[in-house]
Amino acid sequence: MRDRDRCLPGSREIRQEGRSPGHDGGLRGKAGRVAERIVIVGGGFSGLACADLIEHTLPTAEVVLLEATERLGGRVQGATLGPDRIPIDVGAAELYDIVGAPHLRRLVDRLGLPRRPLRATPTYFFDGHRIDDEGDLATALGDRAARHLAAFWHEVERRRPTTEYARAGHPADGRHPWSACTFADLLETIGDATAERFTAMQVHSDLAVAPSRTSGLYGVDNLLIDHPEYCRMFTIPGGNDQLVQRLAESLRCEPSRHARVSHIARARDGRLRVTSDVGTDHADAVVMALPPTAAASIAWEEGAVADAVSEHCAHHTHQTGYLRVTLLAATRFWADDLADDYFVSDAFDGVTVYDQSPEPRARTTPGILSWLIAGEPARRLAELSDDTVVAHVLDAAPPPLARLGSCVTATRVDRWFGARGVSHRPGGPRALSYVDRHQPVAGSPHLLFTGDSLYDATLSGALDAAAQTVALLAGQFSVGQFGARDVLRAAGLGDEAALSQSTEPPRRRGSDLPFLARPGVRA
Ligand SMILES: Cc1cc2nc3c(=O)[nH]c(=O)nc-3n(C[C@H](O)[C@H](O)[C@H](O)COP(=O)(O)OP(=O)(O)OC[C@H]3O[C@@H](n4cnc5c(N)ncnc54)[C@H](O)[C@@H]3O)c2cc1C
C-alpha cells in the first residue's frame, strides 16, 4: 500500500486552460484534479523504478508503462539451470549498497525482499599466483608493486572521498581532474607495470572495456566497488529478478507487455502521441527508459525532435558487452578452497566468477559458478558455439577448479551486446547538466530520458537517474522545485543521516589495500 502522506506537496490543481483532453479523456483524479498521464517507454528496472517514484511523488499522475517484450526487468534477468531448476542470475548479479547513497538497499527492504551480503575481499588469481591477502600480494607482485599499489589506493581515497562517490556520475564529476584523463593514463601514475596490470585486471569485469576507452574517474569509481568502506555488495537469495518482479507487483499501474513503441509525435493539443504494438496513447509526458541504442530506433515525426534525440543517443552510446557463462556442477567440491561469494582471475583480461550455488556454504549439494566475461574477449568468444565457449572457460579455470570439467552437468551461455550491453562511458564523454541529460529536446520539457547510461551503468546509477527524472517531472507538474533527494524521501528511500556532508576520507581498517584481507584476518 502507498503511504499517500509521503507524496510531494503542491501537485497542481487544474492546469493549462483550454487544453482539450486526448481520446483517453484527460484523466481526472479524485478531488477534481486533472491527472497527468505519463507514458513510460521500457519496462526494465529504470522504467519500473520511475513508475514507482512517480506513484509516490505525483499523487494525481496516471502512469502507463509500455514494455516491448513478454518479460519485465530488461537486463535484470533470472533463469533456472538443471533438472532441479535452480534459480540463477544471468544479468545483474550483485547489487550495490553505496555508503551515503543507500537508496537501492532501501528499495529492496521496502519491497520486503531478503538480502545476502557478498564478501568484498575475494581471492585473485594473477600471473599463476593465488592471492588471498596482502602477504600473498607482495609475494605475487613483489614488494615494490605492493608499495606502489598501496600509495595509489591512498591517493584514490584522498581524491575521491565517499561523499563524492555517493554522487558518482552527477554533473559535478565533470569538474574532477580524473574526468579529463583516461583510466589508462591514471593507471600509469601507479608507477609499477605489474601493479598497473593487476589493477586493470581487477576492474575489467565491471568496466568491460580497455582502460584507454574510459575516463580515469569512471575507472576509479568501478575500482572503489571493491572498497568495503565505499560500497557493500549484496544479492537477493533466490534471484535478483525478484527485485523487478516485486517492483512491478507493487505498482498501481498495470504494465503493458508486447507493447513495443515504434513512433512518437506531437498531437494537435500539444500532448505527445505514443504509438506501440498495443495502440496509441496520448501523454502529458513521456519518459524514455531505454538504453540509447533502443531509443534511437524509435521514429519521431518532427525533424527537430528527431535530430535532438539522435544527438542525445549519440552522446550516450558507448556500448560494450558481456558473456555470462553459467555452469552447474554435481557437487560444490570447491567449498573449502574457494569459500567466497566470488573470485577474480586474470583469464579473459580479468573475469569475475560468482558462486551462485543454492546453498552457498554446502559441500555436497550442487554448485553453480557464473563467469562474467567482459568487453573484447567476450565479443570474440560470443561468435563461437556455446560448447566451444564452455570449453574455453573450463580451460581457463584456476587450479582449485581443475576437475570442474568432469563434474559439469548443465551449462548456459548468455550474450549481452548492443542495447542489451552496458555503457563504458555513462554520462558520455563530457558531463551534461541534469536538464540536458534528461530533457534533451529544446521546447519539449515533457519528453524525458532516463536509464543507466546517464550516470553509472548499474542499478544504483539507474535509480539515481530515475530519481532525477521524477524530480524534473515534479517540477513540471507541481508547484515548486524538487530535487532527486525529495523524490527519494517521498518514496521512502531517502536517508539524511547517511547523506552527511563530511568530506573526511573513510576510516582506515588498518589495511593498505582495502580490497584484500590482511594475513590471518580473513572473515
Ligand atoms: C550481463 C550484465 C551484468 C550486469 N551486472 C550488474 C550488476 O551486477 N550490478 C548492477 O547494478 N548492474 C549490473 N548490470 C547493469 C544493469 O543490469 C543495468 O544497469 C540495468 O538493468 C538497466 O536497466 P534499464 O531499465 O535502464 O535498461 P534495460 O534493463 O535494458 O531495460 C530496457 C527495457 O526497455 C525495453 N524496450 C526496448 N525497446 C523498447 C521499445 N521500443 N518499446 C518498449 N520497450 C522497449 C526492453 O525490452 C527492456 O525491457 C549488468 C548488465 C549486464 C548486461
Side-chain angles (χ1 to χ4, degrees):
M1 288 299 287
R2 294 277 173 273
D3 177 357
R4 308 293 303 194
D5 292 333
R6 286 215 193 97
C7 292
L8 291 178
S11 202
R12 84 197 148 155
E13 305 289 323
I14 307 288
R15 313 150 296 147
Q16 283 177 273
E17 281 190 14
R19 196 197 69 178
S20 56
H23 81 282
D24 42 45
L27 299 160
R28 271 168 201 280
K30 291 174 190 161
R33 289 178 171 178
V34 172
E36 297 84 14
R37 188 170 174 88
I38 301 171
V39 170
I40 299 175
V41 184
F45 175 75
S46 292
L48 295 167
C50 277
D52 175 273
L53 296 179
I54 291 168
E55 289 187 355
H56 279 86
T57 307
L58 286 163
T60 59
E62 185 79 15
V63 175
V64 175
L65 195 150
L66 303 173
E67 162 56 37
T69 67
E70 162 66 27
R71 189 181 62 81
L72 297 168
R75 286 169 277 161
V76 182
Q77 188 180 344
T80 59
L81 197 58
D84 295 332
R85 302 181 60 75
I86 299 172
I88 54 171
D89 289 310
V90 296
E94 57 194 24
L95 281 71
Y96 305 119
D97 179 10
I98 293 164
V99 174
H103 324 308
L104 185 61
R105 167 173 48 85
R106 295 194 62 157
L107 178 63
V108 171
D109 291 349
R110 196 192 76 195
L111 294 170
L113 291 164
R115 288 186 274 118
R116 191 172 78 76
L118 295 184
R119 173 135 72 179
T121 53
T123 298
Y124 293 86
F125 293 94
F126 180 72
D127 279 358
H129 296 273
R130 174 184 176 133
I131 301 171
D132 280 307
D133 57 33
E134 288 181 27
D136 294 339
L137 185 106
T139 307
L141 275 65
D143 286 333
R144 180 179 189 276
R147 270 198 319 278
H148 280 253
L149 210 48
F152 176 68
W153 275 83
H154 274 292
E155 189 62 1
V156 164
E157 288 174 341
R158 194 177 72 76
R159 307 272 300 268
R160 191 60 162 166
T162 47
T163 43
E164 277 186 24
Y165 185 69
R167 294 181 59 72
H170 287 255
D173 275 357
R175 295 191 292 276
H176 197 291
W178 290 345
S179 287
C181 69
T182 69
F183 188 45
D185 295 333
L186 195 59
L187 288 179
E188 269 188 34
T189 67
I190 296 177
D192 179 279
T194 312
E196 287 168 29
R197 245 183 343 104
F198 178 85
T199 310
M201 177 275 308
Q202 180 184 5
V203 78
H204 184 255
S205 238
D206 288 321
L207 276 183
V209 77
S212 58
R213 296 189 55 214
T214 192
S215 73
L217 196 62
Y218 195 57
V220 159
D221 282 351
N222 275 277
L223 207 50
L224 284 168
I225 290 174
D226 294 339
H227 193 316
E229 285 147 25
Y230 282 71
C231 176
R232 285 150 207 164
M233 289 171 267
F234 63 95
T235 57
I236 299 172
N240 293 333
D241 58 329
Q242 293 168 94
L243 171 62
V244 284
Q245 284 166 18
R246 191 66 69 85
L247 199 48
E249 285 160 16
S250 73
L251 296 175
R252 283 202 304 272
C253 71
E254 179 65 38
S256 297
R257 299 153 198 255
H258 300 295
R260 179 173 296 279
V261 171
S262 55
H263 198 116
I264 301 181
R266 202 186 301 272
R268 284 228 178 96
D269 61 4
R271 302 170 91 197
L272 291 161
R273 198 175 61 236
V274 181
T275 307
S276 75
D277 293 343
V278 294
T280 300
D281 256 292
H282 286 75
D284 295 305
V286 171
V287 175
M288 303 292 292
L290 307 169
T293 36
S297 67
I298 290 173
W300 303 84
E301 200 164 271
E302 284 177 63
V305 176
D307 290 347
V309 169
S310 147
E311 198 181 314
H312 167 88
C313 292
H315 181 87
H316 290 285
T317 298
H318 306 279
Q319 297 308 97
T320 181
Y322 281 120
L323 194 63
R324 192 181 278 285
V325 183
T326 314
L327 308 182
L328 171 66
T331 61
R332 192 169 171 273
F333 64 86
W334 57 85
D336 294 334
D337 244 357
L338 293 172
D340 292 338
D341 297 303
Y342 65 99
F343 65 83
V344 178
S345 136
D346 59 3
F348 311 114
D349 292 354
V351 62
T352 301
V353 182
Y354 298 86
D355 191 334
Q356 293 192 3
S357 304
E359 292 180 44
R361 307 281 167 246
R363 215 172 268 116
T364 51
T365 48
I368 293 186
L369 289 171
S370 171
W371 268 255
L372 187 61
I373 303 173
E376 196 44 35
R379 196 193 55 74
R380 282 197 303 269
L381 278 180
E383 287 166 15
L384 308 175
S385 70
D386 286 6
D387 286 348
T388 313
V389 170
V390 169
H392 278 281
V393 163
L394 291 172
D395 273 354
L401 298 175
R403 65 187 174 94
L404 183 61
S406 61
C407 298
V408 168
T409 57
T411 65
R412 179 177 166 121
V413 178
D414 287 275
R415 292 167 174 76
W416 295 95
F417 295 92
R420 282 160 47 88
V422 289
S423 171
H424 60 80
R425 201 74 202 254
R430 107 197 107 77
L432 301 177
S433 70
Y434 290 125
V435 169
D436 288 345
R437 254 176 233 219
H438 292 282
Q439 296 165 308
V441 182
S444 292
H446 295 157
L447 177 57
L448 293 101
F449 285 71
T450 196
D452 67 332
S453 62
L454 300 188
Y455 291 77
D456 176 86
T458 65
L459 297 168
S460 306
L463 189 53
D464 278 357
Q468 192 59 50
T469 304
V470 176
L472 290 165
L473 267 175
Q476 295 291 324
F477 291 136
S478 304
V479 178
Q481 291 299 310
F482 302 107
R485 283 188 192 179
D486 301 311
V487 170
L488 291 167
R489 208 177 306 120
L493 309 179
D495 184 341
E496 284 309 303
L499 292 164
S500 88
Q501 291 306 304
S502 156
T503 51
E504 290 297 305
R507 185 180 49 80
R508 297 218 57 82
R509 299 178 313 154
S511 163
D512 281 330
L513 294 167
F515 57 92
L516 281 176
R518 296 168 67 205
V521 196
R522 235 171 140 62

